[in-house]
């Protein structure tokens, strides 16, 4: 895959990367100025010549990804014994971070509230997984940036989620909601978990979860009822706005904090100019 195609695909997937470009060459070098390589946390696309130079560039790019650096960086390399290369020339590399890691949100349930909520979430800088066992519940048009997942064993999808994700559960079945809750709490590495329902539903779920051995401290991280209390109303769109507002508020309040059993690498859901 060409570097430009890789960048386009990674942007669509919401995956951060670093574009490495040879901007200057002196003497004998493995590749000419203008050669590019795209580096992600696990993959590379194209090459700047291989060998120790490329390995060192990959290492630096991944350090930038790990630290979430958004600053460009210039590095000069002599292609001699210190790099284990015998070209004898020198090269200057430009490192350009591309794309903030995006918020990852899993929505379980394609009912009325789910159909009102997902388009709102899709309009934010985030990646949404929309999951249900009932294909006919999904609308014909799925918003851009949303992956529709149909699985008869909905609970199995919890295992496929990355750490630091936001879970929103609003299925058509209370028992399914309970099993999803147990699976999500068992992982414990979520940034946010919201369960649709009343205070009575929460009390019932907590009782059943205690019987399964879940600690009160863990259950306290579950939002149920979820959504901003200030947003009143029972219409699907009113509930959806309330939930979306809470997700944004929760994220911007906790950005940069570690998530238990893993770190969240999600992007800010509001531009800096609108955050206080």
């Amino acid at each position: 895959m060409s570097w430009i195609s890789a960048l386009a695909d990674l942007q669509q997937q919401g995956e951060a990367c670093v574009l490495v470009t040879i901007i200057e060459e002196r003497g004998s070098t493995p590749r000419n100025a203008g050669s590019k390589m795209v580096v992600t946390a696990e993959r590379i696309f194209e090459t700047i010549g291989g060998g120790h130079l490329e390995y060192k560039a990959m290492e630096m790019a991944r350090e930038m990804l790990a630290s979430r650096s958004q600053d460009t960086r210039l590095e000069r390399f002599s292609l001699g014994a210190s790099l284990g290369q015998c070209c004898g020339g020198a090269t200057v590399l430009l490192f350009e971070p591309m794309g903030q890691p995006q918020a990852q949100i899993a929505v379980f349930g394609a009912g009325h509230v789910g159909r009102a909520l997902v388009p709102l979430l899709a309009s934010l800088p985030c990646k949404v997984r929309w999951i249900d066992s009932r294909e006919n519940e999904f609308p014909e048009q799925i918003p851009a940036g949303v992956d529709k997942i149909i699985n008869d064993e909905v609970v199995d999808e919890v295992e496929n989620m990355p750490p630091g994700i936001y879970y929103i559960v609003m299925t058509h079945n209370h028992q399914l909601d309970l099993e999803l809750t147990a699976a999500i709490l068992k992982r414990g590495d979520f940034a946010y978990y919201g369960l649709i329902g009343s205070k009575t539903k929460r009390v019932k779920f907590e009782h059943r979860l205690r019987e399964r051995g879940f600690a009160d401290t863990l259950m306290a991280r579950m939002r149920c009822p979820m959504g901003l209390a200030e947003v009143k109303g029972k219409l699907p769109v009113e509930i959806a706005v309330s939930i979306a507002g809470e997700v944004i508020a929760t994220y911007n309040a906790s950005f940069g904090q570690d998530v238990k059993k893993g770190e969240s690498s999600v992007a800010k859901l509001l531009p800096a100019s609108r955050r206080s």
Side-chain angles (χ1 to χ4, degrees):
M1 182 183 293
S2 70
W3 67 269
I4 196 164
S5 296
L7 280 181
D9 281 2
L10 292 168
Q11 183 178 22
Q12 177 66 28
Q13 297 165 16
E15 184 174 354
C17 64
V18 175
L19 177 63
V20 183
T21 306
I22 299 176
I23 63 168
E24 184 179 342
E25 53 173 323
R26 293 183 181 179
S28 178
T29 60
R31 293 294 302 274
N32 296 330
S35 298
K36 297 178 184 292
M37 174 177 70
V38 176
V39 182
T40 75
E42 298 178 348
R43 297 175 290 171
I44 65 167
F45 302 89
E46 296 240 10
T47 180
I48 55 170
H52 283 76
L53 171 66
E54 186 163 292
Y55 176 81
K56 187 65 176 177
M58 289 166 49
E59 186 178 60
M60 289 181 173
R62 285 174 175 155
E63 287 174 358
M64 294 173 70
L65 290 171
S67 65
R68 301 172 190 157
S69 172
Q70 291 298 302
D71 297 325
T72 57
R73 177 175 174 180
L74 278 175
E75 293 287 343
R76 185 181 187 278
F77 298 88
S78 295
L79 305 179
S82 62
L83 272 182
Q85 298 197 209
C86 57
C87 299
T91 187
V92 177
L93 300 183
L94 173 65
F95 295 78
E96 297 177 276
M98 296 287 177
Q100 284 271 9
Q102 289 185 323
Q104 307 255 357
I105 303 176
V107 179
F108 291 85
H112 295 298
V113 178
R115 291 195 294 272
L117 174 64
V118 167
L120 294 176
L121 298 177
S123 67
L124 298 168
C126 66
K127 181 177 178 60
V128 180
R129 293 172 173 86
W130 195 6
I131 306 144
D132 205 304
S133 61
R134 306 163 298 164
E135 184 171 8
N136 61 346
E137 289 296 318
F138 289 97
E140 290 186 11
Q141 296 295 323
I142 302 297
V146 175
D147 289 338
K148 179 178 75 172
I149 300 173
I150 302 167
N151 190 340
D152 289 337
E153 302 299 330
V154 172
V155 179
D156 290 350
E157 289 297 325
V158 176
E159 295 181 7
N160 300 328
M161 301 301 165
I165 198 168
Y166 286 60
Y167 291 98
I168 297 173
V169 171
M170 48 177 61
T171 79
H172 61 292
N173 184 292
H174 276 223
Q175 185 60 35
L176 179 56
D177 284 354
L178 178 62
E179 298 306 322
L180 282 166
T181 300
I184 292 165
L185 294 182
K186 184 177 180 180
R187 282 196 55 160
D189 58 357
F190 52 90
Y192 170 89
Y193 173 43
L195 171 66
I196 199 165
S198 62
K199 292 180 180 180
T200 301
K201 180 177 180 178
R202 182 188 184 102
V203 170
K204 290 180 179 178
F205 271 39
E206 287 181 341
H207 175 72
R208 294 178 184 177
L209 290 166
R210 285 192 193 95
E211 291 179 340
R212 299 190 187 191
F214 287 93
D216 287 350
T217 53
L218 183 57
M219 290 187 289
R221 297 179 60 200
M222 175 178 70
R223 289 287 300 168
C224 180
M226 63 173 158
L228 297 176
E230 294 83 357
V231 180
K232 307 295 183 182
K234 296 183 179 180
L235 293 175
V237 67
E238 293 170 326
I239 298 170
V241 167
S242 172
I243 294 168
E246 181 171 270
V247 168
I248 295 171
T250 301
Y251 179 74
N252 283 281
S254 60
F255 178 75
Q257 297 182 11
D258 290 343
V259 176
K260 195 174 182 179
K261 289 190 179 179
E263 292 186 354
S264 170
S265 59
V266 296
K268 290 180 172 69
L269 291 179
L270 288 176
S273 61
R274 293 174 57 194
R275 277 185 240 114
S276 58

